[in-house]
Amino acid sequence: GAVVSQHPSWVICKSGTSVKIECRSLDFQATTMFWYRQFPKQSLMLMATSNEGSKATYEQGVEKDKFLINHASLTLSTLTVTSAHPEDSSFYICSARDGADTYGYTFGSGTRLTVV
Amino acid sequence: GENVEQHPSTLSVQEGDSAVIKCTYSDSASNYFPWYKQELGKGPQLIIDIRSNVGEKKDQRIAVTLNKTAKHFSLHITETQPEDSAVYFCAASFTGNQFYFGTGTSLTVIP
């Protein structure tokens, strides 16, 4: 089946630094990738949608200058949390949509970000 | 936009019993309804999905039913096992575009 690799699985960073999270589709071309944020015991909240080669579309309330998303190729999207603060600590999950399958939608394994 | 409600938020069943989780959606245009299982510290895993042109789908111990008129769909797990313990999320989507997730159900299967 389709596999999405997300890296790193966890990261601890100091307040004020930036952190980059990678999301790769291993065996399919992902025309669209999605980034979610999940707080403990809560549902997934969509942060942004990115299409290969174009700017990401951010959900209302998500700071585009703080959460930089790049989708430069059909197999890789990155989320950079800039000038991280403790309130940015969360579980970040990507998902990728197979360009050849309207309903082919696979999640990554998530990244636990802790800002200290 | 779409609004998905999910009940119950927590569910405990004895091993071997059945578990049922229900979701309602608001947008009649939604036509794709996946269910995901999420274990602690991991990303969601698709366990079953249903499209609006069918009313029921089954895969071994897991089944999903859809009532388009009432705009609700349900997940049924039979012969539950301890490894079924996890958080389950329903979602609604129009043609695989943006997904709207339910609030999750924490299922505990008691051995």
Side-chain angles (χ1 to χ4, degrees):
Chain A
V3 178
V4 172
S5 174
Q6 187 172 341
H7 179 81
S9 57
W10 60 271
V11 58
I12 300 173
C13 71
K14 290 185 176 181
S15 187
T17 62
S18 296
V19 172
K20 180 183 285 188
I21 303 169
E22 292 189 349
C23 181
R24 293 180 184 272
S25 56
L26 298 186
D27 48 4
F28 65 96
Q29 293 188 328
T31 52
T32 306
M33 287 190 172
F34 305 83
W35 287 95
Y36 293 85
R37 184 172 181 176
Q38 186 179 34
F39 290 106
K41 298 187 178 181
Q42 293 190 22
S43 190
L44 288 75
M45 299 300 296
L46 180 66
M47 297 175 67
T49 302
S50 70
N51 293 294
E52 184 265 338
S54 61
K55 290 184 178 181
T57 301
Y58 291 80
E59 295 300 301
Q60 190 172 7
V62 178
E63 300 175 59
K64 60 179 68 175
D65 293 332
K66 180 167 187 62
F67 299 100
L68 301 179
I69 292 172
N70 183 283
H71 191 168
S73 78
L74 284 171
T75 59
L76 173 66
S77 177
T78 60
L79 167 67
T80 301
V81 183
T82 63
S83 186
H85 292 287
E87 56 265 31
D88 298 324
S89 298
S90 188
F91 193 54
Y92 292 88
I93 309 171
C94 70
S95 69
R97 180 177 169 184
D98 188 339
D101 179 0
T102 301
Y103 301 99
Y105 194 101
T106 306
F107 282 89
S109 55
T111 297
R112 171 71 59 193
L113 170 64
T114 302
V115 184
V116 297
Chain B
E2 175 66 277
N3 180 46
V4 179
E5 295 188 356
Q6 183 173 347
H7 300 280
S9 57
T10 60
L11 178 62
S12 292
V13 299
Q14 291 290 332
E15 182 178 359
D17 287 350
S18 296
V20 180
I21 303 171
K22 299 181 179 181
C23 287
T24 61
Y25 61 99
S26 61
D27 190 346
S28 57
S30 292
N31 59 4
Y32 177 60
F33 307 92
W35 284 90
Y36 292 90
K37 177 183 181 181
Q38 186 178 27
E39 297 178 335
L40 191 63
K42 297 184 179 180
Q45 293 286 319
L46 178 70
I47 56 171
I48 196 167
D49 57 8
I50 192 168
R51 301 181 193 183
S52 60
N53 58 345
V54 298
E56 184 173 0
K57 183 177 179 180
K58 188 174 182 180
D59 182 2
Q60 299 182 341
R61 297 187 297 109
I62 295 174
V64 56
T65 58
L66 171 65
N67 184 325
K68 286 177 55 181
T69 303
K71 294 205 278 292
H72 66 71
F73 56 112
S74 301
L75 176 70
H76 304 254
I77 305 174
T78 59
E79 300 173 25
T80 54
Q81 302 167 3
E83 50 265 37
D84 293 330
S85 296
V87 178
Y88 292 81
F89 290 98
C90 64
S93 169
F94 173 66
T95 322
N97 289 320
Q98 182 174 342
F99 281 31
Y100 296 87
F101 287 89
T103 48
T105 296
S106 178
L107 172 65
T108 302
V109 179
I110 304 167

